[in-house]
Amino acid sequence: MSFNLQLVSCLFIFIVLILVVYMLRNGRINIKYALVWIAAITVLLLFLIFPSFFTWLTKLLGFNVGSNMIFAGLIAFLMFINIILTIIVSNQNNKIRLLIQEVSMLKGKIK
């Protein structure tokens, strides 16, 4: 990996880290979701700092090219995020349904 590519990658990773910390401090993101992003950033930094580890892992998992492993990892990460968001939406739907039922019961008591 060339030095310029490592420098640009490192800059991108730190920008994402700063963005996640900024959103966390302003209350736009929960800590449990920020931890997922921080874990992903940590893995990317490990691959950036130790490119031989990335090559070893690529060979261990049976990928011919490192970019194929990156794409597979990104797809897995996006599926993980999708599952988490589906769980959140389902929980919110249950809470909204319960809230509607409670409001309807309170309206019935008032009338």
Side-chain angles (χ1 to χ4, degrees):
M1 182 181 297
S2 71
F3 178 73
N4 289 338
L5 181 60
Q6 283 182 326
L7 187 64
V8 169
S9 299
C10 189
L11 182 65
F12 175 74
I13 288 170
F14 283 118
I15 288 172
V16 171
L17 180 63
I18 289 169
L19 182 65
V20 168
V21 170
Y22 176 77
M23 289 189 312
L24 184 62
R25 292 190 72 193
N26 287 338
R28 293 181 171 217
I29 189 172
N30 274 340
I31 186 75
K32 60 184 174 181
Y33 307 124
L35 288 176
V36 172
W37 288 106
I38 291 172
I41 289 169
T42 304
V43 169
L44 289 175
L45 274 176
L46 285 175
F47 286 157
L48 186 64
I49 294 170
F50 304 109
S52 59
F53 175 69
F54 177 73
T55 306
W56 174 79
L57 190 61
T58 302
K59 298 277 190 251
L60 179 71
L61 295 176
F63 290 98
N64 292 331
V65 183
S67 61
N68 290 344
M69 188 178 87
I70 291 172
F71 286 127
L74 287 174
I75 290 170
F77 180 71
L78 290 174
M79 289 177 69
F80 177 70
I81 295 294
N82 194 13
I83 289 170
I84 289 173
L85 291 175
T86 302
I87 292 169
I88 292 168
V89 168
S90 296
N91 287 337
Q92 292 298 321
N93 279 337
N94 291 337
K95 288 178 181 179
I96 289 171
R97 185 180 312 114
L98 181 63
L99 183 63
I100 290 171
Q101 290 171 353
E102 289 177 357
V103 168
S104 297
M105 290 181 347
L106 287 174
K107 281 184 179 180
K109 286 183 181 180
I110 290 174
K111 290 180 181 182

